[in-house]
Amino acid sequence: MTLTRRLILMVAACITLAIITISIVFGWLGRHALIEQAEAQAQAVARIVAESARLTEISLEEMQSVLVDDLSTLAFAIASMPAQASPDFGNLLAEVAARGNISSLWLVDKDLAVLASSVGDYGAVVSGESLPDGLPRAALDALTSGRRFRLPLGGAIDGVRYVGVRVDGGRALIAGQPDAVLDPVRAANSLPVLLAALINRDGMRAIQVFDDAQVSMASVGDDMPETAGRLAARAIEGTAADFDFGQARLLVAAPIRDTAGITIGATVLSMSTQRLEDMLLDYLYYGMLAAGLVLAVGVGVAGLFAGRIARPVSAMTAAANQVDSRVFRPESLNPLARRADELGTLARVFQHMAIEVQAREEHLEAQVRARTTELEQKNRLLEESKRRVEAELDAARSLQAAILPQGLPAHPSYAGNATMIPARELGGDFYDFFAIDDRHLGIVIADVSGKGVPAAFFMAISRTVLQSSARENRSAGTCLAAANTMLCGQNPMDLFVTTFYGILDTETGTLTYANGGHNPPMVIRRLDGSVQDLPRTGGVALGVAPGLDYAEKSVMLKEGDTLFLYTDGISEAMDGDGREFTEARLRSALTDAHRLTVELVLADVTNAVGNFVGAAEQSDDITCLVIRYNGPRSNQS
């Protein structure tokens, strides 16, 4: 992707992300604002309800006070009239009651006997009437005795309130007015009427008012869910506004407080969320419109600036490719190098660097040509030296192979074969067998420490020393001790050689041997095919320290028994995964050795090692020697 496209995409992505973020923030702020507005409306309704209840109560009290005053004035006017306990006076009371919308009028004496009365639309009654039960006797006595001029006579009795006025002559006039005359006032100031006036304003679909015991006092609208009670309870208990979202509605509860600030109930508003949804849709619509517009402008501006930025970069890229192709002309960047900004500085630095690089390349090419010519001459010399070394190594390998015996001395009492496969051009392993006399056969297998030419030379020395010592010493242990002392005196490189030396008595089958730190040979018995290690003698490798003694032991070989001698190049041969062949696998390869010829035994072992190692590099010399005892010569004849 080009730099221009990357810049345009980066600007577009940043603008889009900014617009999306702003839209989300505005949506959240709008939602929060609507919730705050709903809470404010609920609190306003709660205050209106509280104030309405207070004003209704005050109005009723004032109306009742006015009613008492009116009744008192009327009673006083009537009492001031000269009156007699006569039907004409009763008719007057009846007319006054009818015209004044008064429930009843009584004129009583000091004994509270009714002198005249009128009850509603009924005619005057002079006798036979009695005052309503429940009027306070003390108040009536205070009026008839002249101690009080006017007294309200307690609360409503059967829906009627009574007022008494003193009349001269120890009498009292009692007037009654029904509480029902205040019903229009109560109805005009009732909660349902007030709430109905607020419904369907600002999205309010239902209002419900609860008292402090969470009992519904009034409700308008049909969109109030059952959860309104729980929300009101939370507002009453928490004394703060609370809200909850439902299906397409927003419930808001606000506590109602009296003038002392005590919570006396709660108002719950059910409001439509349509405003919120419309607002969010508007945000989305206008946000997408603004995003498209800003994105188009931003992409255009980004494309313009990206082109201005990318053209110099493209010129620098082309110049770098020309430098790589060695066709760069420094003057091609002169227009760009004349710029006063960072790109001009970069072009000037690049011109200077390119000139130096071209000069250095020319100098390096000249040096490379000279060095190449010199290396070609040295390579020719090295190849000639390599051919000489390989020829000399081939000659040394041939000589080393010639040093090792190619076969056992012909003898009817034994048969054998051996092989040595060096890991390098020259090996450090060797084997030997030689006739000590007509009856005894010397058997040697050894492994020199190290590899290559030093090990090969030390191997030749060790073989010569062992043969010389074997002819002078008929004991295997004494032979190794003498050879060790001689090798320690001829060992400038501090090499050592592990050695097994055995002497086979062809007449008896007795093998007397000593071991100088070498792998113990194995005996394969003819009778059962068992594979056994020769008992160890505990000797140290030759060449380590002079003057050492070597113990020797003997083992009896029976007719058909096979002796297998080997170096650690067999047991420690490794495959590609670093696993060793081990002595256990060697024993498995020798399972059928008692039934095979010595040549096949040798082939089976080397094949088993080769199959295990596979394509892995040979890590050490592989040497093994197989000898089978055929019995004494007397049995052969």
Side-chain angles (χ1 to χ4, degrees):
M1 184 180 294
T2 63
L3 179 62
T4 301
R5 291 183 179 178
R6 289 182 181 178
L7 184 58
I8 292 174
L9 289 178
M10 181 184 69
V11 171
C14 292
I15 293 174
T16 303
L17 180 62
I19 292 175
I20 292 174
T21 303
I22 292 173
S23 298
I24 292 174
V25 171
F26 279 167
W28 182 83
L29 291 175
R31 176 181 179 276
H32 188 67
L34 283 181
I35 292 175
E36 287 185 346
Q37 180 182 0
E39 291 180 349
Q41 288 177 338
Q43 290 174 346
V45 171
R47 288 194 296 270
I48 290 172
V49 171
E51 188 65 18
S52 173
R54 188 178 68 83
L55 292 177
T56 299
E57 183 178 354
I58 293 174
S59 297
L60 290 175
E61 289 178 354
E62 291 295 328
M63 289 295 294
Q64 289 174 357
S65 177
V66 170
L67 181 61
V68 171
D69 290 342
D70 290 344
L71 290 176
S72 300
T73 302
L74 180 60
F76 177 72
I78 294 172
S80 299
M81 296 171 60
Q84 300 292 331
S86 65
D88 291 337
F89 189 76
N91 291 333
L92 178 61
L93 293 181
E95 184 177 357
V96 171
R99 291 179 180 274
N101 195 23
I102 298 175
S103 174
S104 57
L105 291 170
W106 285 274
L107 181 63
V108 297
D109 59 12
K110 62 179 180 180
D111 297 325
L112 301 182
V114 177
L115 301 177
S117 67
S118 176
V119 180
D121 295 333
Y122 296 98
V125 179
V126 177
S127 62
E129 290 291 335
S130 60
L131 293 175
D133 294 333
L135 292 177
R137 182 64 179 262
L140 295 174
D141 290 341
L143 291 173
T144 56
S145 64
R147 293 194 306 271
R148 297 295 298 274
F149 175 72
R150 185 190 71 176
L151 280 177
L153 301 179
I157 300 174
D158 295 333
V160 180
R161 292 184 178 273
Y162 296 93
V163 177
V165 179
R166 183 184 67 189
V167 180
D168 294 338
R171 296 173 297 168
L173 182 66
I174 300 169
Q177 179 68 52
D179 270 345
V181 297
L182 299 178
D183 287 345
V185 177
R186 294 190 181 93
N189 291 277
S190 65
L191 275 179
V193 174
L194 177 63
L195 298 180
L198 298 175
I199 203 69
N200 296 326
R201 292 174 182 245
D202 297 329
M204 287 188 290
R205 299 191 299 192
I207 305 175
Q208 192 169 4
V209 178
F210 295 85
D211 61 11
D212 56 355
Q214 302 169 19
V215 177
S216 177
M217 298 173 59
S219 177
V220 294
D222 55 355
D223 192 38
M224 186 64 65
E226 297 179 356
T227 57
R230 292 195 295 271
L231 193 63
R234 293 208 303 265
I236 294 172
E237 293 174 0
T239 66
D242 200 354
F243 70 91
D244 187 18
F245 276 99
Q247 296 180 348
R249 69 167 66 91
L250 170 63
L251 293 180
V252 182
I256 302 173
R257 296 183 176 88
D258 59 10
T259 55
I262 299 174
T263 302
I264 59 175
T267 300
V268 180
L269 274 65
S270 175
M271 306 183 67
S272 174
T273 58
Q274 187 63 40
R275 291 180 61 194
L276 178 60
E277 295 173 357
D278 293 342
M279 184 190 66
L280 294 178
L281 288 176
D282 289 342
Y283 278 141
L284 180 61
Y285 173 75
Y286 290 111
M288 291 180 63
L289 186 62
L293 180 61
V294 174
L295 189 61
V297 174
V299 169
V301 173
L304 178 62
F305 282 95
R308 295 188 61 184
I309 295 173
R311 280 193 295 272
V313 174
S314 299
M316 295 292 295
T317 303
N321 291 329
Q322 291 173 0
V323 170
D324 185 59
S325 303
R326 299 183 181 180
V327 294
F328 174 68
R329 293 180 297 104
E331 60 273 12
S332 63
L333 290 180
N334 286 341
L336 182 59
R338 286 193 288 269
R339 294 180 57 160
D341 56 7
E342 293 83 356
L343 291 173
T345 304
L346 178 61
R348 292 191 292 273
V349 172
F350 185 86
Q351 281 181 319
H352 180 70
M353 180 190 67
I355 294 172
E356 289 188 353
V357 168
Q358 287 177 338
R360 289 178 182 177
E361 284 184 349
E362 293 174 357
H363 178 68
L364 288 174
E365 286 177 353
Q367 287 186 333
V368 167
R369 287 193 295 269
R371 295 293 183 271
T372 301
T373 303
E374 183 180 352
L375 286 174
E376 288 176 352
Q377 295 174 353
K378 291 183 178 180
N379 285 337
R380 286 194 295 271
L381 294 176
L382 287 175
E383 288 177 357
E384 293 176 0
S385 298
K386 179 181 177 183
R387 284 193 294 271
R388 287 196 302 271
V389 171
E390 288 178 349
E392 292 174 358
L393 288 176
D394 289 339
R397 184 165 49 249
S398 299
L399 289 174
Q400 186 180 44
I403 291 175
L404 298 177
Q406 302 302 313
L408 269 71
H411 200 281
S413 297
Y414 53 80
N417 204 345
T419 185
M420 195 276 283
I421 305 173
R424 296 183 182 178
E425 290 81 359
L426 298 174
D429 292 359
F430 70 91
Y431 61 87
D432 201 1
F433 31 75
F434 46 84
I436 298 174
D437 52 32
D438 292 341
R439 181 172 176 173
H440 296 88
L441 176 68
I443 305 169
V444 178
I445 189 165
D447 182 4
V448 178
S449 62
K451 304 284 188 304
V453 176
F457 276 104
F458 197 69
M459 165 266 206
I461 295 172
S462 301
R463 180 174 181 272
T464 302
V465 169
L466 280 169
Q467 281 189 352
S468 174
S469 178
R471 288 186 172 87
E472 294 177 0
N473 301 281
R474 294 305 180 92
S475 167
T478 304
C479 174
L480 290 186
N484 174 59
T485 301
M486 295 176 64
L487 287 175
C488 288
Q490 305 177 27
N491 190 8
M493 299 185 68
D494 293 330
L495 298 176
F496 61 87
V497 55
T498 63
T499 308
F500 175 85
Y501 175 54
I503 301 173
L504 175 63
D505 188 337
T506 59
E507 294 298 328
T508 62
T510 301
L511 177 67
T512 304
Y513 63 91
N515 195 334
H518 197 77
N519 305 77
M522 297 181 180
V523 176
I524 300 95
R525 297 298 182 180
R526 178 183 180 185
L527 293 178
D528 54 5
S530 61
V531 181
Q532 303 169 356
D533 288 344
L534 290 182
R536 299 177 183 269
T537 61
V540 179
L542 277 62
V544 174
L548 298 178
D549 294 330
Y550 291 85
E552 61 180 43
K553 291 185 179 181
S554 299
V555 66
M556 181 66 69
L557 298 180
K558 297 182 180 180
E559 184 178 346
D561 289 346
T562 303
L563 184 65
F564 183 81
L565 299 87
Y566 66 99
T567 61
D568 57 9
I570 291 180
S571 59
E572 296 178 3
M574 291 186 293
D575 62 5
D577 296 330
R579 296 174 299 181
E580 293 186 351
F581 184 70
T582 70
E583 293 182 1
R585 288 188 175 89
L586 177 58
R587 294 177 188 277
S588 177
L590 295 172
T591 301
D592 297 328
H594 62 292
R595 293 192 291 265
L596 303 176
T597 63
V598 291
E599 290 79 11
L600 290 178
V601 172
L602 196 65
D604 282 354
V605 171
T606 54
N607 290 336
V609 174
N611 293 334
F612 175 78
V613 171
E617 183 180 0
Q618 182 177 336
S619 59
D620 199 358
D621 301 336
I622 295 176
T623 305
C624 53
L625 172 63
V626 182
I627 296 177
R628 177 166 293 157
Y629 179 62
N630 296 326
R633 280 181 294 181
S634 58
N635 292 345
Q636 304 294 326
S637 59

